[in-house]
Amino acid sequence: MTSDDVIPAPLRRLWRLPESSRLGRPAALDVDRIVAAAVEIADRDGLGGVTLPKVAESLGFTGMSLYRHVGSKDELLTLMADHALGAPPDLDTDDWRDGLREWAYAQRAVLQRRPWLTRVPTSGPPSGPHQIAWMEVALKIMSRTRLDWANKVGALMLISGYVVQSVRQYRELAEGRAEGQGQADAERDYGRAMARLVDPARFPETARLFSSMLFEAPPPDTPNTEIADADFSLGLELILDGVAVRIGP
């Protein structure tokens, strides 16, 4: 048994490892063409628009012809996610906090361009070359800290998960708002409605929240992106504060 024999076929395809040579003409399809076509459909129609028959049709082939190169729809999604994530930026910095902040914002920018990435099911830990490249950047940023491996991985997962959830939640809230309604107006309407509904005797702290000026704060004409940026920054800094405590003085 060779070392390559222990690598599962999906991982071999994810890393584009060469398959054993076959006699006959070269295949008309390959993983790269299939993944590129699937990503193009997702960019246009969202993740729900991606099916193996539709991808095959866009390439001029039958659905069954794809199974020679992609084992399943789940595998295709994994291939798409790694491809669409792309290579990370070079964030070589001496300050771990600045570095992780830039890393989070860079990942957020990718997901904002391709929000369908936030809906790809998580089928396992990062395993694709682009995912590993992003991991490498974050680990390099934290290499100058005193964190052990478990804490480095924990911080990486927490920040990455926060980025994904933040982008996804922003999109879902935007889709749920009335047509033409801005986020500032939606938050104001929400706060006022809850202030009337929440009973202080039953939910004293929550009632205090809704009676505060928090949901009245953004002026009505505040751009949605400005509010989203402020919310994202607040949550990220809270996470980084926690990492700082774990690192210590």
Side-chain angles (χ1 to χ4, degrees):
M1 178 182 292
T2 66
S3 59
D4 283 347
D5 292 331
V6 301
I7 302 176
L11 275 179
R12 293 180 60 83
R13 289 189 283 265
L14 188 57
W15 285 80
R16 306 300 194 272
L17 298 181
E19 300 290 342
S20 56
S21 60
R22 296 185 178 92
L23 298 177
R25 294 186 303 172
L29 271 179
D30 59 29
V31 173
D32 288 323
R33 284 190 65 194
I34 294 170
V35 171
V39 168
E40 183 177 345
I41 292 172
D43 286 343
R44 185 185 67 238
D45 303 330
L47 194 63
V50 178
T51 65
L52 290 174
K54 185 177 289 187
V55 174
E57 181 182 359
S58 71
L59 293 167
F61 290 86
T62 65
M64 290 301 298
S65 62
L66 267 61
Y67 284 104
R68 177 182 176 186
H69 308 279
V70 178
S72 66
K73 171 72 177 293
D74 288 341
E75 183 183 342
L76 176 61
L77 295 179
T78 300
L79 290 162
M80 290 170 59
D82 190 72
H83 173 87
L85 184 60
D90 183 9
L91 300 175
D92 189 13
T93 174
D94 291 333
D95 188 294
W96 69 264
R97 188 172 187 127
D98 287 345
L100 288 181
R101 184 185 297 111
E102 291 181 40
W103 185 83
Y105 272 95
Q107 197 171 82
R108 180 183 182 230
V110 174
L111 301 185
Q112 287 176 324
R113 290 195 301 271
R114 284 177 160 152
W116 58 265
L117 278 168
T118 67
R119 298 183 178 275
V120 175
T122 302
S123 58
S127 55
H130 285 140
Q131 292 174 322
I132 297 301
W134 281 83
M135 180 184 290
E136 173 68 18
V137 170
L139 291 175
K140 185 177 180 182
I141 290 169
M142 290 185 283
S143 65
R144 298 182 181 90
T145 71
R146 292 178 292 182
L147 293 176
D148 60 20
W149 287 116
N151 280 279
K152 288 176 182 177
V153 172
L156 186 157
M157 291 177 62
L158 182 60
I159 295 171
S160 183
Y162 171 69
V163 174
V164 171
Q165 179 60 25
S166 176
V167 173
R168 179 170 180 171
Q169 185 177 48
Y170 174 79
R171 296 279 300 188
E172 290 177 345
L173 288 174
E175 291 169 359
R177 289 197 295 269
E179 185 176 354
Q181 184 183 42
Q183 185 170 342
D185 288 333
E187 291 184 1
R188 187 171 296 105
D189 292 347
Y190 167 74
R192 291 175 180 177
M194 291 297 101
R196 294 175 63 88
L197 289 170
V198 174
D199 181 2
R202 184 180 181 187
F203 306 109
E205 291 303 314
T206 309
R208 290 181 62 197
L209 166 65
F210 288 119
S211 65
S212 73
M213 295 301 294
L214 176 64
F215 296 99
E216 300 285 338
D221 57 350
T222 304
N224 294 340
T225 54
E226 185 176 318
I227 298 174
D229 289 345
D231 290 344
F232 180 80
S233 176
L234 174 62
L236 179 60
E237 295 306 319
L238 286 172
I239 294 173
L240 295 178
D241 285 346
V243 176
V245 171
R246 185 57 61 94
I247 291 174

